[in-house]
Amino acid sequence: AQSVTQPDIHITVSEGASLELRCNYSYGATPYLFWYVQSPGQGLQLLLKYFSGDTLVQGIKGFEAEFKRSQSSFNLRKPSVHWSDAAEYFCAVVTYSGAGSYQLTFGKGTKLSVIP
Amino acid sequence: SAVISQKPSRDICQRGTSLTIQCQVDSQVTMMFWYRQQPGQSLTLIATANQGSEATYESGFVIDKFPISRPNLTFSTLTVSNMSPEDSSIYLCSVVEGETQYFGPGTRLLVL
């Protein structure tokens, strides 16, 4: 079955430090991959997405992610974290189950804390 | 990008009652989804609602518990019926526009 794994439940970084959030997927075909952010008490916001082409994807708020097929990974990165980046981050993969239907499968999320 | 609004944004309900959550989109969309996010958990798809057809429910979710309406291409409702404390969750409406899935702000439900 298709799945998404986020190995890190909780990460703490200092403000200004670099960040990498890990995401591994399990899907036989070319995946459509997303990263969402959920700030406390807020809904989900799309950070970036990958469909095809350039494997390094730029998103909003200074985030980027790199698709690595050989490692089945789609890790999210930011060179310098701001205190406002403290939130929960979800990796997701679109999986097509045939007959025109599909679903979005989410990882369990990584909570990011930022130390001033 | 699609803009989604949900009503109510939050509610506290007594067990045994029902709550209907509304989802309004600012554009016409074919596919609309309802998700649940239980405390400390990731999102779980409840059902897919396409206009003009019956909603399709995921394993573990049934129409009697979560009836859905989809009267037109911009609106849907999800009812949480005969609520119990286990139904305390955030319920999110979601749509697909182009190749991207967008989410509403969620309805935070607490069942006492």
Side-chain angles (χ1 to χ4, degrees):
Chain A
Q2 301 89 353
S3 66
V4 176
T5 302
Q6 293 180 246
D8 304 305
I9 297 173
H10 190 185
I11 286 181
T12 301
V13 300
S14 298
E15 191 169 17
S18 63
L19 171 70
E20 183 169 31
L21 302 182
R22 296 184 291 167
C23 172
N24 294 98
Y25 66 90
S26 170
Y27 185 55
T30 299
Y32 289 2
L33 294 158
F34 301 79
W35 274 101
Y36 287 88
V37 60
Q38 186 178 35
S39 298
Q42 303 295 314
L44 287 166
Q45 181 180 25
L46 178 66
L47 284 175
L48 48 79
K49 59 189 176 185
Y50 171 78
F51 292 152
S52 64
D54 194 347
T55 56
L56 185 62
V57 180
Q58 301 298 321
I60 62 172
K61 302 185 179 186
F63 285 93
E64 67 177 25
E66 186 170 12
F67 171 64
K68 293 185 177 181
R69 184 186 298 276
S70 61
Q71 298 177 17
S72 297
S73 69
F74 188 57
N75 295 346
L76 181 71
R77 301 194 294 248
K78 187 169 184 178
S80 177
V81 170
H82 188 262
W83 64 267
S84 60
D85 294 324
E88 188 144 20
Y89 292 79
F90 293 94
C91 181
V93 61
V94 171
T95 57
Y96 288 84
S97 52
S101 65
Y102 80 98
Q103 66 182 55
L104 191 64
T105 301
F106 285 86
K108 294 187 181 298
T110 298
K111 183 178 180 180
L112 174 65
S113 297
V114 180
I115 301 173
Chain B
S1 62
V3 177
I4 306 170
S5 60
Q6 287 185 230
K7 288 182 181 179
S9 60
R10 59 179 64 225
D11 207 342
I12 302 174
C13 301
Q14 298 289 335
R15 68 176 68 200
T17 63
S18 298
L19 175 73
T20 295
I21 302 169
Q22 298 179 5
C23 176
Q24 180 75 51
V25 189
D26 68 341
S27 58
Q28 294 184 336
V29 293
T30 302
M31 302 184 76
M32 190 173 277
F33 306 87
W34 285 98
Y35 287 83
R36 180 174 73 180
Q37 184 179 25
Q38 293 179 301
Q41 303 294 316
S42 186
L43 284 78
T44 301
L45 180 64
I46 298 172
T48 303
N50 291 338
Q51 196 271 336
S53 62
E54 293 289 325
T56 303
Y57 289 82
E58 297 300 306
S59 175
F61 298 97
V62 295
I63 188 171
D64 290 344
K65 175 68 175 177
F66 297 101
I68 289 171
S69 77
R70 183 79 203 277
N72 56 53
L73 291 173
T74 63
F75 187 79
S76 178
T77 67
L78 170 75
T79 299
V80 185
S81 303
N82 188 25
M83 288 183 284
S84 67
E86 291 72 32
D87 294 321
S88 298
S89 290
I90 300 173
Y91 292 85
L92 296 105
C93 170
S94 176
V95 303
V96 171
E97 185 174 81
E99 294 178 312
T100 300
Q101 188 157 356
Y102 298 93
F103 290 83
T107 295
R108 189 176 296 268
L109 171 63
L110 176 62
V111 184
L112 303 177

